Structure formats: structure tokens, C-alpha cells
């Protein structure tokens, strides 16, 4: 729902890169409908790989539904051992798999790399008495139900960020008065109209209103300050909240080590290319590339942490 | 007067030959995809985003505006001729429009729709240029209480779509409400009525419900009635074109529809559905004379096409107000246009008007151009569209089925959508056979979840205190309108009768 | 009923909504109508059964996800009773005889297309078969002709939407051959 950006459709300026292992064909599954974040990630990968001459033949396939778990299921069923099959996914999928009790999980696929990410910001109306993370924490301690949070769907990234903040502030996450809205626009209207205390969503949803001064930033869930936003992180205000809505690419289960290495090589070259970084910048996405075993470890840690926080939020048992 | 100087400069931008080309392309594409059930302007814009980068910011925005308007009109074509709403915005158009088409007046209905789209789009765009800042304030002052009141108003007026039988209308409405609760509850994440099927844990797409109930159900119904005789569909009887008399009947519905569409467009309640419902209801309530007879006897009244069609294009323009001034998309297509802006590094919002004034006014001007293009392009083709009905019936209906399944499979990417489509087709068939109206089912499926969400969200914000519903003056005013719309005509009749009696006695 | 015309008009206006107003009923007991009533009642039971299984969650709304389903189930039950009365009294209009053959061709075509798409035969073939079956349902019996037109139409649609818009449609051997050719 965030970052509707665009994949450039540039006439292929083929630049042969001899160093890269040969991958002649690739299929990318976007486990969501056309237009959403995962679809755009898939199509950006497609256009970059093609115009950089890394993979000549790429197709994107959309399978929408249930937070990506329907696409994932189909991917695992059909593509085992197929080195040309890849799938795009992200943090939302981690939560969806847990909440839907999906019988196929991320451990059934071969993770390749984290590609992009977006940090979550907590904002308040410019007229709000809440200015800092400390103010927000105090308000929560005083009257936890009186602080209303407007954000995305229940159990989603925004909800998780809010829950983590509550935890760090010393109040029970499942008692926060979190009000899910179906799109960033609706939540934005509620915050601007003064109907809720604070808003929590990906930075891009709020960026124009922040710039215009209609919203003020209470904090951003990044580990360190971000160049595009002149506002403190939660970490530097003493609240250890680090949440990233990341997106990744993964390969099919059961491929050989050599095949995995070839794919990692191609993806790594892509992520370092100027074209890719230029694309990300126009979309307002941050390059948070993390590949191979490091990413696999990160993924495992994310799954554990998310399972815990979803239980704390009362979303799962 | 600054506004108008800027607007003229914008017009100069928009009438450059290349931009006219983009407008033309957009309107053509929009109309084409609007006709396809299931594939709408939002999906088209999404799919075209990558291609459009080479067109430049102004060019692609103009094209998207054309797609938006064209899509609204394309939806009307399939509604009127095939009784298959191409978009949710044209569900109401199908009611009277298709009845007209069945009597050989499809051309007139299409004409009323084309001019209605033009009228609604034109005046709402003008309104956009003049009162955008004011409308934004109104939209922001609406909270859950006001939205819930709007839903109540819509529900209370839905009986206009019931047709002859109240009990069957209500049954259809409840079936729609049931469809609406299938899937994940937005406020708690609870999955309802999915029976463990992962595909059902998403809310059922309204496109599937609409195409299933209308297109598939209608086709099944016709097939089940098919007896082997050479029946020729009556494509045209009398003139295809609107005459002055028709036109006069359309004027008032145009004005009312435009007003409704423009008012509701900026509100984040899902776009064009509510204003088209309300416009249809209004026209049906207010109809007198010939129109009254046509509404009551199911002959198809032109007012019932004119009003909703003006409303849906006007709401398309209204939608742009919060999009441009707040960066707040209130419909799926608007969300995709927002994406289009972002691809050029433009961030719609309060600063867009000052930082990129030329682009904003170029866009507003291009809306005028796209609108004009829509009429110029489509009116001459009405005669050809109507010819669609002269295709031999076996191939016509087989073609409709292929179109419908392509739209659904393409948009959902999963054959499971077809199973749902077949299911809704069978429900639609049974409903048709037993005289149940279809429109209330769709109204229920669209409005039910919205109403539930607003109510529960309001209760969350107010921590379980129901009083918030009656603490808002705007909401109370809306309830008053709702009551008036239901009991008003009866009271009025009683008052008139009573006064006639007193005058007679005096 | 009083003879006063004003009263009569008022009574007519405020008539209970549950009577059937059309007045074109057959007056005969209607088995199919009773079946609809039973189906509606069944639907209400399904909704209640589903809603009763939701875990209790604490929320500031004090209005959980189960309340609206209960209300809807209640409404449907009432409509089921009314439908039963309508069917008993024969308030449904007379229906034309059903052409089961045509309906079976149509439904069969859709079912076959679903199987073909799940089985990986691809959009073009599935769509062509649907076209042929549907045309057959409407009395066009020349199967090869129908199939031919269906193939032409679905290939055209595939090319248009796959290459014009970049929509992904279920692919089978035919689609892969086209993609290979056009690459």
C-alpha cells in the first residue's frame, strides 16, 4: 500500500558484464496484485536486470491474496528445484504467515537478499501536546486507552511498531488503543482532522504533510538518523524501537549451491548498480541490501521476534 | 482572478499537440478497459505506470486523467448494453440503462451517459478549480460519526433499488451484507466466514461479486430461458440520438448528479459508489409523469441513467481535490495517480500548488480537454456500440463470458477467483429466476463493511461510548435528511391531501 | 377498514413492508421457494456457527467482530421465515420452464475452464473452450466453428492484455510458444 512508485521502462541499453555468472532466464512472482509495493519491487528488478544486461529474459507473475501467503504456497508447490523461479516478499509476509497459520513458511524457500526497506514514523497533528517520544510514553502511562493510534491493518508493520514502543515505554502492548485504517490516506485524514492522538505509518505516507508542517514527527524507527528526515529516531530518545518494513527476493526450495551462488551474484550486481539506486531514489525507497547467510540469519531472527510481538499484541494466541 | 489566469496557462499546456495525443490515448484506453468487466481504471493506471515514464510528468498525468474519465464512461457502455457493470461506479446505470437498451433505446441511454459524463466532469472540474481549499476543510471535518451517518443515509435510501417486492429487496440486501463480512476483519484481524480457505481470507473483491451476479447470472438466466427460436435482439428502435425532449429530461438529473458526485468525491468513503446510489434514488423519488411511469413499470427511465453518470464523473473530479491538496487518495484510481506523481519526485500535498503550479493547472486543464475528448470521441461511436447487440446471441454471450473471466483472472491472478465467480453467477441466476433484485446485494456488499468499520472505529476512539454518534451536528443533519427522504414524500402527500380538503371545505 | 379515503391512503402508504406487493403470484404452493427459505435459514446458521467461534479479544470498542454477523444472521432468519410464508401462499410469480440442457452447457464450460486453468492448460485454450460451450448453450451447434472463433478471440485478448498492458494471465504451452515467438 505504500510507495506506489514506478519501474522505468527504458529501451534496453545492453551493457555486457562478463564477471557475472550466466542466468539466462528468470521468473519473478509478486505475491500481490499489480500496483502494490511487492509488484513494483518485482517490476523494478525486472527492468533493472534487463537494462543492465544481467538477465535477458524475465517475466513477472502476480498471485494476490492473504498477505502473500497464497502466492508463497503456489510458489513452493510448483517451483521446487527450479533455479529460474524467484519470489518477492517482505516483512508483511512474516506476520501474515503467523497470523494465518499458513502451512508453507519462509523456511520452505531459499532466501537470497533483502533489497529495500522503509522505516516507520510516528507523527502527531501540529497542534498536539505530544512533542517527543517521552511525551508519548507519559501519555500512555497516564491513560493508555486515551491515546489513539491511527495506522495500517491489525497485526501489520505499523501495529508492530506501536506495540514495540508500548513495550519499551513500560505499558502492555495489547492494551494500546490501536485503530486500523485501510489506507494511508484515511489514517492521514483522521490525524489531520484531529480525531486521533498519533499516526503511525511508513515515512512516505506522511512525508508531504511533514514537509508542509501540518504533522510533526515524534520519532522514526530507524537505528540512526536518516538523511531525508530532520527528526530524531526513537533509539536516540532512549526508546529502543527498530522496525523496518523490508522487501526481499528469494529463490525456490531445493536448488543447488551453485545455482544459489549464481542468483546471489546477479542480485548483488544489480543492487550495486547506479540504475537500481537511481530507481530506488525516485521511489523514495532506501537501499538496505543484505544478502546470503547474513540475510538468512536476519530473517530467522525477524520471525522469532515477530512471533513474540504478535502474541503480545493479542493478535495470536 | 489568479485562478483563471493560471487555468488559461494550463489550457495552453494541455492543448499542445503531444498532450492532446496523450489525452486521446488515455480516453480511448480508459473506455476500452472500462468496458471490460473487472478491469478498471485503477488497474490500468497501475499497469501503465512503467510505460508512462517516457511520456514526461505532464503527458502521463494527462493520460491518466483521460483513463479515469474514459473508464467511467466505458463502464456505462457495458452496463447499458449488456447489463454488466464494468465498474462499481456504474452499477446504478445498469438498472434503467439496460431496460432502455432492451426496448431499443440503448443509443439514447448511451447518449445520456456520454453527455452526463461530460456535464458532470466539466462542472466538477470547474468546481475543483474554484473551491478546492474549502472542500478540503469539509472533508477533514468529517469523522467516524459523520461517515456512519452517511452510511445510514445510503442504507435508508437503498429501497429505491428494490423493484417491486420489499421482502425480496431486503433479502438481497442481507445476502450482500453477508458477502461483505467474508474475509479478514480490518479492525481485529479476525477472519470471518472463510471456512479455512486461504483465498477467502481476503475480502471478496466487489468486481467478482458484480461480474458474477450481473454478467454470469444474467447469461445463465438467458440460457435457461433459451428456446430454439430465432429471436432477434431489438438493437435500435427509433432514433439512436437524443432529441430535445430527451435532453430536457436529463438536465435536472445532470445538475443533481454533478452536485452529489462533487460533494462525495473528496470524502474517503470509497469513491463513486455512494453518490451514484444517492443520485439514482433521488431521480426515482422525484420522477413525475412519463418518467414516473417508466420507473414504475420497469421500462427504463432516462433520468436513472443521466443522474448516476453525471455523478460518477463529477466524483472523479471531486476525488482529485484531496489528492492534489493533501496527497490523500480517496479511491483506488486516485491512489494509482498518486503513485504516478511520486514517480516524478512530485509529492502531492499542500506544497504542490505553490511548488508545481504549472503542473497542477496543466492537469486541471487537461481534465477539461479529456472530458471534451470523451464526448467528441464517443458520441459518434454510439451507433457502432449499439450494433454490438446485433452480434448473434450465442457468440455475443460467449464473448461476454470470455471477457468477464479474463478480467477476473487477470486482476486476481488465481483460478480460485473463477470458482467464486461461478458461485456468484449461480446465486445471481437463482435470484433472477425468482425475481430478486440484484442491485441491493451489491449495495450491501459495498456499504456493509464501510458502515461496520466506521461504527467500530468510532467506538474505539471514544472507548465504547455510543454518544459520539449524536454529538456531531453534521451527523444529526444527515440523519434528518435520511428520515426526510424516507418519510418526506408520505408526509408531503398527507399535508397536500389535508390542505386540499380544507380548501374544498372552505 | 374505514370508508374514509384519507385513512385508506394512509394505510396503503404505511403498509407493512413484508407483504408481497407485486400481486402477480401464482397462488400455488411453491417447492422451489421453500427451498430458498431453507437455504437462507441454513446460511444464517452457518454465520452464527462461524461467529460463535471467534476468540474474545479485549478492545476499547466493546463491539467485537462477531456482533455484526449475528445481526445479519438475525435479519436473514427473518427473511427466511417471510420467504417460507411467501412460498406457502404462492406469492412468487410463475416461472418459465427451465432449459436444463443449455444451463448445463454453460456451467459445464465454466467448470471446464477452471479445471483447465488449474491444470496448466493456459488461458487461451481454457477461454476458447468456454466460448465454444457457451455458444452451444445458446443454440449454436457447430462446435469447430465455435472453437475457432473462441481461439481467435482469446488469442487476441491474450496478446492485447499480456503485451499491451503487461497483465499476467495463466500460461500453458500455447502461451509459452507465443512468448517465445515474440521475444
Amino acid at each position: 500500500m505504500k510507495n506506489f512508485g514506478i519501474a522505468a521502462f527504458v529501451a534496453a541499453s545492453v551493457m555486457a558484464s562478463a564477471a557475472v555468472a550466466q542466468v539466462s532466464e528468470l521468473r519473478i512472482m509478486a505475491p500481490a496484485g499489480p500496483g502494490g509495493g511487492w509488484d513494483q519491487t518485482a517490476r523494478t528488478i525486472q527492468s533493472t536486470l534487463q537494462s543492465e544486461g544481467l538477465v535477458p529474459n524475465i517475466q513477472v507473475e502476480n498471485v494476490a491474496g492473504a498477505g502473500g501467503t497464497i502466492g508463497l504456497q503456489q510458489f513452493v508447490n510448483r517451483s521446487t528445484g527450479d533455479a529460474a523461479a524467484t519470489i518477492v516478499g517482505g516483512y508483511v509476509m512474516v506476520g501474515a504467515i503467523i497470523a494465518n497459520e499458513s502451512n508453507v513458511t519462509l523456511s520452505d524457500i531459499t532466501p537470497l537478499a533483502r533489497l529495500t526497506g522503509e522505516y516507520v514514523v510516528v507523527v502527531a497533528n501540529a497542534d498536539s501536546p505530544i512533542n517527543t517520544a517521552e511525551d508519548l510514553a507519559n501519555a500512555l502511562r497516564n491513560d493508555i486507552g486515551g491515546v489513539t493510534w491511527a495506522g495500517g491493518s491489525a497485526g501489520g508493520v505499523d501495529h508492530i511498531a506501536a506495540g514495540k514502543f508500548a513495550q519499551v515505554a513500560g505499558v502492555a502492548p495489547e492494551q494500546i488503543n490501536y485503530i486500523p485504517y485501510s489506507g494511508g490516506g484515511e489514517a492521514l485524514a483522521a490525524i489531520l482532522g484531529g480525531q486521533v492522538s498519533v499516526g503511525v505509518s511508513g515515512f512516505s505516507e506522511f512525508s508531504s504533510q511533514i514537509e508542509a508542517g501540518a504533522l510533526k514527527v515524534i520519532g522514526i524507527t530507524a537505528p540512526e538518523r536518516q538523511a531525508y528526515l530532520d527528526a530524531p529516531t526513537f533509539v536516540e530518545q532512549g526508546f529502543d524501537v527498530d522496525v523496518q518494513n523490508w522487501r526481499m527476493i528469494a529463490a525456490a526450495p531445493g536448488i543447488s549451491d551453485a545455482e544459489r551462488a549464481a542468483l546471489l551474484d546477479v542480485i548483488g550486481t544489480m543492487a550495486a548498480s547506479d540504475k537500481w539506486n537511481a530507481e530506488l531514489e525516485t521511489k523514495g525507497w532506501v537501499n538496505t541490501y543484505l544478502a546470503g547467510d547474513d540475510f538468512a540469519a536476519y530473517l530467522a531472527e525477524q520471525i522469532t521476534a515477530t512471533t513474540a510481538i504478535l502474541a503480545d499484541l493479542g493478535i495470536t494466541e | 482572478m489568479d485562478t483563471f489566469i493560471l487555468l488559461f496557462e494550463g489550457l495552453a499546456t494541455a492543448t499542445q499537440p503531444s498532450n492532446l495525443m496523450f489525452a486521446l490515448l488515455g480516453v480511448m484506453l480508459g473506455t476500452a478497459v472500462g468496458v471490460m468487466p473487472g478491469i478498471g481504471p485503477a488497474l490500468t493506471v497501475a499497469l501503465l505506470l512503467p510505460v508512462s515514464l517516457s511520456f514526461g510528468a505532464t503527458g502521463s498525468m494527462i493520460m491518466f486523467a483521460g483513463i479515469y474519465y474514459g473508464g467511467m464512461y466505458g463502464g456505462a457502455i457495458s452496463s447499458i448494453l449488456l447489463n454488466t457493470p464494468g465498474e462499481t461506479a456504474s452499477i446504478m446505470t445498469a438498472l434503467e440503462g439496460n431496460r432502455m437498451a432492451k426496448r431499443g433505446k440503448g443509443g439514447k441511454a448511451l447518449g445520456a451517459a456520454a453527455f452526463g459524463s461530460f456535464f458532470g466532469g466539466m462542472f466538477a472540474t470547474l468546481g475543483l478549480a474554484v473551491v478546492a481549499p474549502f472542500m478540503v476543510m469539509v472533508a477533514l471535518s468529517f469523522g467516524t460519526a459523520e461517515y456512519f451517518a452517511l452510511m445510514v443515509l445510503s442504507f435508508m435510501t437503498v429501497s429505491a433499488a428494490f423493484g417491486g417486492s420489499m421482502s425480496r429487496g431486503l433479502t438481497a440486501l442481507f445476502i450482500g451484507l453477508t458477502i461483505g463480512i467474508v474475509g479478514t476483519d480490518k479492525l481485529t484481524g479476525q477472519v470471518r466466514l472463510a471456512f479455512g480457505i486461504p483465498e477467502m481470507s481476503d475480502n471478496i473483491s466487489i468486481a467478482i461479486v458484480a461480474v458474477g451476479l450481473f454478467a454470469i447470472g444474467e447469461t445463465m438466466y438467458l440460457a435457461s430461458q433459451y428456446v430454439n427460436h430465432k429471436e432477434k435482439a431489438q438493437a435500435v428502435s427509433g432514433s439512436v440520438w437524443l432529441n430535445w425532449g430527451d435532453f430536457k429530461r436529463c438536465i435536472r438529473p445532470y445538475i443533481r448528479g454533478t452536485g452529489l458526485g462533487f460533494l462525495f468525491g473528496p470524502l474517503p468513503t470509497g469513491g463513486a459508489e455512494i453518490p451514484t446510489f444517492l443520485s439514482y434514488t433521488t431521480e426515482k423519488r422525484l420522477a413525475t409523469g412519463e418518467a414516473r411511469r417508466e420507473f414504475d413499470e420497469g421500462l427504463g427511465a432516462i433520468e436513472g441513467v443521466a443522474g448516476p453518470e453525471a455523478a460518477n464523473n463529477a466524483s472523479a473530479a471531486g476525488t482529485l481535490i484531496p489528492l492534489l491538496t493533501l496527497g490523500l487518495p480517496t479511491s483506488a484510481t486516485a491512489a494509482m495517480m498518486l503513485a504516478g506523481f511520486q514517480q516524478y519526485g512530485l509529492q502531492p500535498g499542500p506544497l504542490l500548488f505553490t511548488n508545481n503550479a504549472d503542473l497542477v493547472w496543466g492537469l486541471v486543464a487537461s481534465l477539461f480537454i479529456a472530458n471534451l475528448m470523451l464526448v467528441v470521441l464517443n458520441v459518434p461511436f454510439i451507433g457502432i456500440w449499439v450494433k454490438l447487440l446485433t452480434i448473434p446471441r450465442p457468440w455475443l454471450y460467449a464473448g461476454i463470458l470470455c471477457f468477464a473471466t479474463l478480467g477476473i483472472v487477470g486482476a486476481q491472478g488465481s483460478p480460485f477467483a473463477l470458482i467464486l465467480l461461478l458461485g456468484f453467477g449461480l446465486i445471481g441466476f437463482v435470484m433472477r429466476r425468482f425475481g430478486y433484485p440484484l442491485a441491493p446485494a451489491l449495495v450491501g456488499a459495498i456499504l456493509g463493511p464501510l458502515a461496520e468499520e466506521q461504527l467500530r472505529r468510532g467506538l474505539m476512539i471514544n472507548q465504547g461510548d455510543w454518544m459520539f454518534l449524536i454529538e456531531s451536528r453534521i451527523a444529526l443533519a444527515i440523519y434528518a435528511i435520511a428520515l426526510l427522504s424516507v418519510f418526506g414524500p408520505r408526509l408531503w402527500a398527507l399535508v397536500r391531501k389535508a390542505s386540499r380538503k380544507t380548501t374544498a371545505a372552505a | 377498514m374505514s370508508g374514509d379515503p384519507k385513512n385508506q391512503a394512509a394505510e396503503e402508504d404505511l403498509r407493512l413492508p413484508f407483504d408481497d406487493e407485486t400481486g402477480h403470484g401464482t397462488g400455488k404452493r411453491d417447492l422451489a421457494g421453500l427451498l430458498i427459505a431453507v437455504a437462507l435459514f441454513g446460511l444464517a446458521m452457518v454465520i452464527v456457527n462461524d461467529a460463535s467461534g471467534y476468540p474474545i479479544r479485549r478492545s476499547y470498542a466493546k463491539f467485537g467482530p462477531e456482533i455484526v454477523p449475528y445481526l445479519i444472521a438475525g435479519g436473514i432468519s427473518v427473511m427466511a421465515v417471510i420467504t417460507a410464508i411467501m412460498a406457502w401462499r404462492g406469492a412468487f410469480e410463475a416461472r418459465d420452464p427451465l432449459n436444463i440442457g443449455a444451463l448445463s452447457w454453460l456451467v459445464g464450460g465454466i467448470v471446464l475452464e477452471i479445471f483447465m486453468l488449474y491444470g496448466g492448460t493456459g488461458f487461451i485454450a481454457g477461454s476458447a473452450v468456454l466460448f465454444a460451450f457457451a455458444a452451444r448453450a445458446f443454440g449454436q451447434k457447430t462446435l469447430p466453428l465455435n472453437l475457432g472463433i473462441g481461439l481467435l478471440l482469446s488469442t487476441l485478448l491474450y496478446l492485447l492484455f499480456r503485451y499491451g498492458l503487461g497483465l499476467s494471465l495463466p500460461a500453458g504451452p500455447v502461451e509459452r510458444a507465443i512468448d517465445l515467438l515474440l521475444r
Side-chain angles (χ1 to χ4, degrees):
Chain A
M1 85 189 200
K2 285 151 195 178
N3 276 324
F4 293 111
I6 181 180
F9 193 93
V10 179
S13 59
V14 180
M15 298 188 296
S17 45
V20 174
Q22 273 306 301
V23 176
S24 65
E25 191 197 353
L26 213 56
R27 290 190 312 278
I28 310 174
M29 176 185 281
W38 290 341
D39 175 60
Q40 292 190 24
T41 308
R43 286 174 200 265
T44 311
I45 295 170
Q46 178 188 31
S47 71
T48 312
L49 288 178
Q50 269 171 348
S51 67
E52 295 286 291
L54 293 168
V55 183
N57 176 19
I58 310 174
Q59 304 219 329
V60 172
E61 184 191 2
N62 298 92
V63 180
T69 51
I70 292 172
L72 185 68
Q73 173 106 44
Q74 198 171 322
F75 181 77
V76 171
N77 288 349
R78 288 199 189 155
S79 309
T80 304
D82 181 353
T86 60
I87 184 168
V88 161
Y91 189 35
V92 175
M93 217 182 226
V94 175
I97 289 167
I98 300 166
N100 296 348
E101 294 166 9
S102 169
N103 47 9
V104 171
T105 69
L106 290 176
S107 56
D108 293 321
I109 56 176
T110 310
L112 292 174
R114 181 178 74 186
L115 295 172
T116 70
E118 186 180 35
Y119 295 108
V120 174
V121 288
V122 176
V123 297
N125 192 309
D127 305 330
S128 164
I130 299 171
N131 289 305
T132 62
E134 193 55 49
D135 292 348
L136 180 58
N138 284 331
L140 282 173
R141 289 170 198 137
N142 277 339
D143 176 13
I144 186 162
V147 179
T148 44
W149 303 69
S153 58
V157 186
D158 307 339
H159 196 180
I160 288 174
K164 281 197 173 165
F165 181 82
Q167 222 162 32
V168 178
V171 295
E174 76 171 319
Q175 285 184 13
I176 60 172
N177 196 351
Y178 182 85
I179 300 154
Y181 283 81
S182 28
E186 247 187 287
L188 183 59
I191 306 159
L192 290 174
Q195 293 149 29
V196 291
S197 317
V198 290
V200 49
S201 188
F203 169 70
S204 63
E205 296 279 354
F206 296 144
S207 58
S208 73
Q209 298 296 333
I210 293 171
E211 201 185 326
L215 297 178
K216 58 189 172 193
V217 179
I218 309 297
I220 182 166
T221 64
E224 68 273 334
R225 283 222 176 198
Q226 299 293 302
Y228 50 81
L229 177 67
D230 179 27
T233 64
F234 281 114
V235 176
E236 70 184 87
Q237 297 181 74
F239 294 88
D240 186 18
V241 183
D242 181 1
V243 177
Q244 184 190 146
N245 187 9
W246 47 266
R247 297 193 190 130
M248 62 147 187
I249 184 163
I255 60 170
S256 72
D257 285 351
E259 285 164 338
R260 173 167 174 262
L263 284 170
L264 276 172
D265 201 3
V266 166
I267 298 296
T269 315
M270 177 195 76
S273 71
D274 293 342
K275 172 89 175 26
W276 174 255
N277 287 296
E279 281 286 335
L280 257 51
E281 204 179 316
T282 55
K283 292 185 175 66
W285 296 352
V286 184
N287 188 338
T288 54
Y289 179 72
L290 181 74
D293 297 338
D294 292 343
F295 176 55
Y298 174 82
L299 188 59
E301 178 248 325
Q302 289 270 299
I303 292 170
T304 320
T306 308
T307 311
I309 187 81
L310 284 180
D312 289 343
L313 286 169
I315 295 289
T316 53
E317 300 294 303
Chain B
M1 283 291 98
D2 261 7
T3 307
F4 287 98
I5 295 167
L6 286 163
L7 187 58
F8 276 117
E9 279 171 12
L11 273 173
T13 317
T15 45
Q16 285 165 6
S18 63
N19 288 339
L20 281 179
M21 269 293 302
F22 288 128
L24 185 76
L25 194 68
V27 168
M28 271 168 51
L29 258 173
T31 311
V33 297
V35 171
M36 302 283 289
I39 297 187
L43 188 66
T44 312
V45 172
L47 291 166
L48 284 179
L49 276 175
V51 191
S52 68
L53 195 66
S54 48
F55 299 168
T58 322
S60 53
M61 276 297 129
I62 288 176
M63 190 172 86
F64 292 158
I67 292 176
Y68 202 169
Y69 279 166
M72 290 287 177
Y73 179 65
I77 296 176
S78 44
S79 283
I80 291 169
L81 296 180
L82 309 173
N83 198 19
T84 301
E87 318 301 326
T88 48
S90 47
I91 291 166
M92 290 295 139
T93 312
L95 295 181
E96 299 301 316
N98 188 249
R99 287 177 185 149
M100 287 179 72
K102 283 192 171 135
R103 286 171 60 225
K105 288 186 172 181
K108 283 184 195 291
L110 285 177
F115 284 110
S117 301
F118 176 72
F119 191 95
M122 211 49 140
F123 281 91
T125 311
L126 206 64
L128 163 73
V130 180
V131 296
F134 173 72
M135 288 304 294
V136 165
M137 271 166 40
V138 174
L140 280 186
S141 69
F142 268 50
T144 48
E146 289 82 5
Y147 285 126
F148 184 71
L150 279 180
M151 305 301 157
V152 171
L153 169 66
S154 308
F155 273 123
M156 291 188 74
T157 55
V158 69
S159 65
F162 277 2
S165 163
M166 184 68 128
S167 57
R168 276 176 264 184
L170 276 174
T171 309
L173 184 69
F174 276 112
I175 291 174
L177 290 171
T178 310
I179 296 169
I181 56 171
V182 174
T184 305
D185 168 42
K186 286 211 184 71
L187 297 176
T188 55
Q190 174 65 48
V191 177
R192 301 190 287 197
L193 290 179
F195 312 110
I197 303 167
E199 278 91 346
M200 302 251 299
S201 68
D202 289 317
N203 300 351
I204 296 177
S205 146
I206 292 295
I208 299 181
V209 184
V211 173
L213 288 181
F214 277 83
I216 312 288
E218 166 98 355
T219 314
M220 284 181 187
Y221 179 73
L222 290 173
S224 79
Q225 303 283 53
Y226 181 81
V227 223
N228 206 357
H229 58 233
K230 288 272 174 239
E231 183 200 336
K232 190 101 173 90
Q234 194 181 26
V236 185
S237 83
S239 168
V240 177
W241 310 108
L242 292 177
N243 58 34
W244 179 239
D246 298 322
F247 203 70
K248 261 199 330 220
R249 288 177 57 182
C250 290
I251 294 275
R252 280 159 199 268
Y254 282 166
I255 296 172
R256 289 187 284 257
T258 304
L260 283 169
F262 186 65
L263 282 174
F264 280 85
L267 303 177
T269 44
E273 289 86 8
I274 295 179
T276 50
F277 296 160
L278 290 179
S279 169
Y280 178 80
T281 316
T282 314
E283 295 316 324
K284 192 167 180 183
R285 282 265 149 75
L286 295 177
T288 51
E290 176 71 6
R292 176 83 269 149
R293 195 176 69 87
E294 285 175 350
F295 269 116
D296 289 344
E297 294 176 14
L299 300 173
I302 199 164
E303 286 84 354
V305 175
E309 278 304 303
N312 67 27
N313 271 45
S315 88
T319 301
L320 291 172
I321 293 175
L323 177 67
L324 292 176
T325 54
L326 293 175
L328 197 158
T330 55
S331 73
T333 313
M336 294 321 304
M337 290 180 73
L338 181 64
F341 277 106
Q342 283 165 343
Q343 89 186 17
Y344 296 104
L346 299 169
Q347 193 54 260
L351 300 179
L352 188 70
F353 273 83
T354 38
N355 294 352
N356 300 86
D358 51 335
L359 181 102
V360 173
W361 293 107
L363 175 68
V364 172
S366 68
L367 293 176
F368 281 108
I369 304 290
N371 227 322
L372 200 65
M373 203 75 90
L374 189 69
V375 170
V376 172
L377 202 71
N378 281 311
V379 169
F381 282 111
I382 286 177
I384 297 175
W385 281 116
V386 173
K387 288 267 168 25
L388 221 100
L389 295 182
T390 58
I391 296 175
R393 293 227 308 185
W395 293 333
L396 177 64
Y397 287 106
I400 293 175
L401 282 184
C402 285
F403 274 48
T405 48
L406 168 109
I408 299 300
V409 173
Q412 309 289 319
S414 144
F416 181 80
L418 281 187
I419 298 177
L420 284 177
L421 190 69
L422 177 62
F424 286 118
L426 288 169
I427 294 174
F429 164 69
V430 172
M431 287 174 72
R432 285 266 343 232
R433 187 160 169 81
F434 288 85
Y436 288 88
L438 297 175
L442 275 179
V443 174
I446 293 169
L447 290 182
L450 285 174
E452 186 194 0
E453 234 171 79
Q454 296 294 355
L455 176 64
R456 285 170 57 198
R457 208 173 267 151
L459 284 170
M460 283 170 106
I461 291 175
N462 295 286
Q463 302 191 41
D465 182 3
W466 288 74
M467 293 309 282
F468 80 98
L469 284 175
I470 50 167
E471 272 163 6
S472 147
R473 269 187 225 159
I474 304 176
L476 287 177
I478 298 171
Y479 290 127
I481 296 172
L483 285 177
L484 213 65
S485 74
V486 173
F487 297 109
R490 286 169 190 178
L491 286 177
W492 181 236
L494 286 180
V495 168
R496 256 206 321 218
K497 221 166 254 168
S499 70
R500 212 177 295 146
K501 223 175 206 167
T502 36
T503 29
Chain C
M1 184 153 301
S2 76
D4 182 8
K6 190 183 109 190
N7 260 346
Q8 207 170 6
E11 260 168 27
E12 210 168 277
D13 274 347
L14 299 172
R15 175 174 47 190
L16 272 173
F18 303 125
D19 306 326
D20 190 68
E21 299 89 339
T22 51
H24 306 303
T26 55
K28 289 188 199 128
R29 234 149 259 175
D30 189 339
L31 196 67
L34 284 175
L35 271 178
I36 292 183
V38 171
L40 285 173
F41 197 70
L43 179 64
M45 290 298 100
V46 168
I47 297 173
V48 169
N49 181 49
D50 191 73
S52 63
Y54 304 157
I56 308 224
R57 297 160 196 265
R58 61 170 306 291
S59 153
Y60 289 95
K62 301 181 182 100
F63 190 107
E66 70 286 351
I67 296 181
V68 168
Y70 282 143
L71 292 176
I72 293 173
I76 294 178
S77 313
V78 172
M79 298 326 293
V81 172
I82 293 168
T83 309
I85 297 172
M86 274 172 69
W88 192 257
R89 288 189 188 155
F92 284 102
E93 297 83 358
R95 294 180 292 275
D96 292 333
L98 204 58
N99 184 343
I100 299 278
L103 201 59
S104 322
W105 276 108
L106 200 60
V107 176
I110 301 177
V111 171
L112 203 60
E113 191 193 13
I114 294 173
F115 273 109
M116 288 175 77
L117 291 188
Y118 266 115
T121 324
F123 169 79
I124 294 180
S127 207
V129 167
L130 172 63
F131 186 95
F133 273 54
R136 175 66 184 78
F138 283 93
Q140 173 55 257
K141 288 183 182 146
T142 353
L143 202 67
L145 179 68
N146 289 341
L147 264 178
I149 298 177
L151 268 178
L152 205 72
L153 180 76
S154 55
T155 311
L156 211 73
L157 285 176
Y158 179 77
L159 289 176
L160 217 67
F161 281 85
R162 181 74 187 80
Y163 290 93
L165 281 180
L167 205 66
S168 67
L169 290 163
V174 188
E175 286 79 4
R176 275 193 279 277
I178 292 178
D179 290 350
L180 217 70
L181 257 163
L182 285 179
R183 184 170 299 151

